[in-house]
Amino acid sequence: MGCCGSTESKREWKPLEEHSCTDIPWLIIFTLFCIGMACICGYPIATGGAARLVFGYDSYGNTCGKNNTKIEGVPLSGRDMTENKFVFFLDPCNLDLINRKIKSIALCVSKCPSTELTTYSELKQFALNNGSNLCSYDLTPTRYTSYSSERSTKCPKLPVPPSKSVLLFRRCIPTDISCYTQFAKAFMTFVSDNTVLQRVISGVMASKEIIIGLCILALVLSLIMMVVIRYISQVLVWILTVLVIIGSTGGTGVLWWFYVDHRKALNSNATSVFGKEVASDNVKALLFYAIGATIFTVVLLLVMFFMRKRVALTISLFHVAGKVFIHLPLLVLQPFWTFLCLILFWIYWIGVLLFLGTTGTPVKNNSTGVVGYEMQGPLQFLVWYHVVGLIWISEFILAFQQMTIAGAVVTYYFTRNKSQMPATPIISSMARTIRYHLGTLAKGSFIITLVKIPRLILTYIHSQLKGKENACARCMVKACVCCLWCLEKCLAYLNQNAYTATAINSTSFCTSAREAFLILVENALRVAAINTVGDFVLFLGKILIVSCTAFAGVLALNYQRDYTVWVLPLLIVCVFAFLVAHCFLSVFENVVDVLFLCFAVDTKYNDGSPGREYFMDKALMEFVENSKKMGWKKPDDGGGREMKPMARGTLA
């Protein structure tokens, strides 16, 4: 279970030779945790919290449609509501927007009033005809018409608007929108007073078909980009390199020219005393900027010079990644099923959270007499357990996608004869992950959870400190948040490579992470090149998709000249386009990272000689041959142990 408990020294990498279960204790822990999540869901169901949410309950703790037990200190509790299946609010229009609830006494009734009731006589007649008392339980229908001060607090506010029950949730909701006149008037007044907002909303409503079409266009462009990027990557990399060098050197030259020009103007004594002070400050600032830009340019040129060979590796990996998508087309669908799994889990999580909100011990508010439900004692920690489950299981789902991609790409890379690959490598990789490596995913995702939880807590604390005068505390909290964010990103990158090592060797998480880390350290410059040049090319692809979508949006919206404010429609489309592009190109980036680790292992343990043939693609082979001609030295293989060739029939 721990990283320190491993006694293995350097070992051979044996891709796809054998598979075994990894991190079984962590699989047991994760299984027990998921059982705990299921128990949290079962607790409100068993104690009636789920029924109170679905069927509704009145202000006295009675669940509608159920035979209830007596609550101590609440006289109107413990009533048989088997026939009263609907929740009726005495004043349904009294909305508390801040607390997201209706500020009104709630009763269980057998029927919602379908017509408007304007007098207490009509209330009495409705109760006698339908057996549905719309006033408090201790006020009989015969007393509705008799003048009493109780009617103002125990009967609905007249007139009673017509209402009907909501599907699944049995609440009597007014059918007439005029019930919410005050809220509607306030909103409409705000919109009418804000002419810009009015035009923006009108533009969105009028161009909704265009927005949908542009979102589909962004999806198509993302798919095309994943195919095309392997062919244009070489040109893009060198063009971007030249542009960066020209921009940095040109900008540095301009800064020095400005410095010389301002220095001459200062020495000419053509300005006033006050002007000389300003000019002197400007000269000092320009000198500082020019020196800083010069240092940056020199460092950039040196990095480009020493990493020029590694740029070629990035280009080769992009070419091979494109071939991977040709042989493994189902990789394109990975964002879809991951997103679907996350959405289904989040819906379940929110549902259970709502169940917990109506679960617990009934508590009477002494000022209003209304009964609410609160979890007390150790049960309060169920919500925190549920929150940890949200983060851990979400990270587990994302890790499953990474392991699935890693397993499929490893199979592709280390299969010499591509015709011998499984019919569906993605399905085979998923099956291997489920059968052998769920414990590894549980451990890796738990490590990310351990870092993410304190970061989220500190982020919340920082938001609460806004507006406070203690600037030092805010700065310290923000610094801690940034450090935890950086740590989380580093661990996520190491986790991804650990999953790749597990897919290759079928080793535990800690062993895989250690071996992957050593490989990455040995190829630090290559890693830097791939993570800078490669990520920049992919970022350019995302920007290209967003730009094309935005340009198409401008052309499409140009036909709606009546709506001059295109900001919100274009913003919606651009945000959607960037998210879609990020999802798909992140899969491409994941494939490139997996290919690099496979390439590093291949070059570490093989040299192309008989018995130690490379597994790599022709594009990578050309890179190795060119590197050998230019004097490239292979990293030390730790004693000359060779990597055993892949055994046939062990891919499934």
Side-chain angles (χ1 to χ4, degrees):
M1 290 177 61
C3 292
C4 300
S6 176
T7 58
E8 293 184 56
S9 59
K10 291 185 177 180
R11 59 180 305 283
E12 295 183 22
W13 290 70
K14 302 178 181 180
L16 306 178
E17 284 198 2
E18 57 185 13
H19 296 285
S20 59
C21 295
T22 56
D23 297 294
I24 296 178
W26 278 95
L27 176 59
I28 297 174
I29 293 174
F30 184 72
T31 302
L32 294 176
F33 182 85
C34 291
I35 293 175
M37 290 287 290
C39 292
I40 290 179
C41 178
Y43 174 72
I45 295 176
T47 57
R52 282 190 285 271
L53 177 68
V54 175
F55 301 120
Y57 63 99
D58 62 17
S59 298
Y60 311 108
N62 299 299
T63 302
C64 299
K66 302 289 183 180
N67 188 7
N68 299 274
T69 57
K70 186 73 174 179
I71 299 175
E72 185 178 356
V74 183
L76 298 179
S77 63
R79 304 175 71 90
D80 186 2
M81 296 295 180
T82 307
E83 300 298 329
N84 299 338
K85 300 180 180 180
F86 304 98
V87 180
F88 175 77
F89 299 95
L90 299 188
D91 188 7
C93 304
N94 189 3
L95 299 177
D96 186 358
L97 299 178
I98 297 178
N99 296 319
R100 299 173 298 278
K101 64 181 182 179
I102 300 177
K103 294 174 61 177
S104 171
I105 296 295
L107 302 173
C108 293
V109 298
S110 59
K111 183 180 180 181
C112 299
S114 57
T115 58
E116 187 179 55
L117 305 177
T118 58
T119 65
Y120 288 106
S121 298
E122 293 180 358
L123 282 178
K124 175 182 177 181
Q125 194 63 34
F126 179 81
L128 295 176
N129 293 340
N130 302 285
S132 185
N133 299 346
L134 302 184
C135 292
S136 182
Y137 306 135
D138 56 348
L139 196 64
T140 60
T142 56
R143 297 168 56 190
Y144 288 180
T145 54
S146 61
Y147 178 78
S148 174
S149 59
E150 295 179 322
R151 293 195 310 189
S152 61
T153 57
K154 296 185 178 181
C155 287
K157 182 180 178 181
L158 297 179
V160 179
S163 59
K164 62 179 180 180
S165 62
V166 181
L167 183 65
L168 297 181
F169 293 92
R170 302 172 181 177
R171 273 74 170 177
C172 295
I173 303 299
T175 58
D176 189 359
I177 194 63
S178 63
C179 173
Y180 306 104
T181 302
Q182 294 181 352
F183 174 75
K185 282 184 177 179
F187 177 76
M188 294 305 296
T189 301
F190 172 74
V191 173
S192 61
D193 290 344
N194 194 328
T195 55
V196 175
L197 179 62
Q198 190 176 19
R199 292 201 305 271
V200 168
I201 294 177
S202 300
V204 173
M205 297 304 297
S207 56
K208 54 183 180 296
E209 294 85 2
I210 296 177
I211 293 176
I212 296 174
L214 292 174
C215 290
I216 297 175
L217 175 63
L219 182 62
V220 174
L221 288 176
S222 299
L223 296 175
I224 295 175
M225 179 60 66
M226 293 181 67
V227 178
V228 173
I229 198 170
R230 63 184 288 256
Y231 299 108
I232 65 175
S233 58
Q234 184 173 4
V235 178
L236 282 176
V237 168
W238 292 118
I239 289 177
L240 289 173
T241 303
V242 172
L243 289 177
V244 169
I245 293 175
I246 293 175
S248 59
T249 54
T252 303
V254 170
L255 285 173
W256 281 113
W257 181 76
F258 278 158
Y259 167 72
V260 173
D261 184 63
H262 281 70
R263 187 64 181 266
K264 288 181 179 179
L266 179 63
N267 296 332
S268 64
N269 296 323
T271 58
S272 62
V273 176
F274 178 75
K276 283 186 177 181
E277 294 179 358
V278 176
S280 177
D281 292 338
N282 289 337
V283 169
K284 292 178 181 178
L286 285 171
L287 178 61
F288 175 78
Y289 293 149
I291 293 175
T294 302
I295 295 174
F296 174 79
T297 302
V298 171
V299 172
L300 180 64
L301 292 175
L302 291 175
V303 170
M304 289 292 183
F305 176 78
F306 286 109
M307 295 179 62
R308 67 189 187 279
K309 299 177 183 178
R310 277 81 184 181
V311 172
L313 174 60
T314 305
I315 296 171
S316 300
L317 287 174
F318 271 55
H319 279 282
V320 179
K323 294 181 181 179
V324 170
F325 279 94
I326 294 176
H327 286 84
L328 310 175
L330 291 180
L331 280 176
V332 179
L333 300 179
Q334 291 302 302
F336 287 109
W337 78 259
T338 302
F339 179 74
L340 178 62
C341 291
L342 287 174
I343 288 296
L344 292 177
F345 171 67
W346 290 342
I347 292 174
Y348 162 82
W349 187 87
I350 293 174
V352 175
L353 185 65
L354 294 176
F355 288 167
L356 293 175
T358 56
T359 303
T361 304
V363 178
K364 180 182 177 181
N365 189 322
N366 294 325
S367 60
T368 62
V370 175
V371 176
Y373 287 87
E374 298 179 0
M375 288 190 295
Q376 300 175 345
L379 294 178
Q380 295 177 349
F381 296 101
L382 292 181
V383 177
W384 291 106
Y385 188 99
H386 197 54
V387 171
V388 173
L390 170 66
I391 301 175
W392 192 2
I393 297 178
S394 297
E395 292 295 332
F396 181 85
I397 294 174
L398 295 174
F400 187 88
Q401 172 183 281
Q402 293 177 346
M403 179 68 86
T404 300
I405 295 174
V409 175
V410 165
T411 300
Y412 171 84
Y413 187 96
F414 289 107
T415 301
R416 299 187 189 277
N417 187 357
K418 306 304 181 187
S419 62
Q420 296 181 353
M421 289 180 58
T424 54
I426 297 294
I427 304 299
S428 300
S429 178
M430 293 177 65
R432 285 197 304 270
T433 301
I434 294 173
R435 183 177 179 181
Y436 298 110
H437 306 312
L438 290 182
T440 299
L441 301 184
K443 188 172 186 177
S445 57
F446 181 75
I447 292 175
I448 300 297
T449 303
L450 284 181
V451 179
K452 182 166 288 187
I453 289 177
R455 181 175 66 83
L456 295 176
I457 294 175
L458 290 177
T459 302
Y460 174 77
I461 294 175
H462 181 265
S463 65
Q464 296 300 310
L465 290 176
K466 287 184 178 179
K468 308 294 182 181
E469 296 184 1
N470 194 342
C472 182
R474 294 201 309 271
C475 182
M476 293 178 61
V477 172
K478 189 64 176 179
C480 292
V481 171
C482 292
C483 292
L484 288 174
W485 182 85
C486 294
L487 178 61
E488 180 183 336
K489 295 302 177 183
C490 293
L491 289 176
Y493 181 73
L494 182 60
N495 278 9
Q496 178 180 322
N497 287 279
Y499 298 149
T500 303
T502 299
I504 296 175
N505 277 330
S506 195
T507 50
S508 65
F509 176 83
C510 287
T511 302
S512 299
R514 183 181 65 250
E515 294 179 349
F517 179 75
L518 294 176
I519 291 289
L520 294 176
V521 170
E522 291 173 356
N523 297 269
L525 289 179
R526 291 177 175 176
V527 173
I530 293 173
N531 287 338
T532 52
V533 180
D535 289 353
F536 191 71
V537 171
L538 293 177
F539 177 76
L540 181 68
K542 298 174 186 178
I543 298 301
L544 182 61
I545 293 172
V546 174
S547 301
C548 293
T549 306
F551 180 71
V554 171
L555 294 180
L557 293 172
N558 187 46
Y559 293 99
Q560 297 185 359
R561 294 178 178 268
D562 293 337
Y563 307 104
T564 56
V565 181
W566 297 348
V567 177
L568 191 56
L570 284 180
L571 182 62
I572 293 173
V573 169
C574 290
V575 170
F576 180 83
F578 183 82
L579 292 177
V580 171
H582 177 74
C583 289
F584 283 95
L585 293 183
S586 293
V587 175
F588 193 94
E589 180 182 4
N590 196 352
V591 170
V592 171
D593 291 336
V594 175
L595 285 173
F596 170 73
L597 190 62
C598 294
F599 169 79
V601 172
D602 198 6
T603 55
K604 180 179 177 65
Y605 291 95
N606 296 310
D607 56 9
S609 60
R612 301 182 67 179
E613 294 85 359
Y614 289 122
F615 288 90
M616 66 186 65
D617 187 86
K618 291 182 179 180
L620 292 174
M621 191 77 73
E622 293 176 358
F623 166 79
V624 173
E625 294 298 329
N626 294 333
S627 299
K628 286 182 178 180
K629 293 178 182 179
M630 300 177 67
W632 170 68
K633 184 179 179 181
K634 187 176 70 169
D636 181 28
D637 61 357
R641 287 187 294 274
E642 65 178 271
M643 180 174 59
K644 295 183 179 180
M646 178 193 61
R648 293 189 180 183
T650 59
L651 295 176

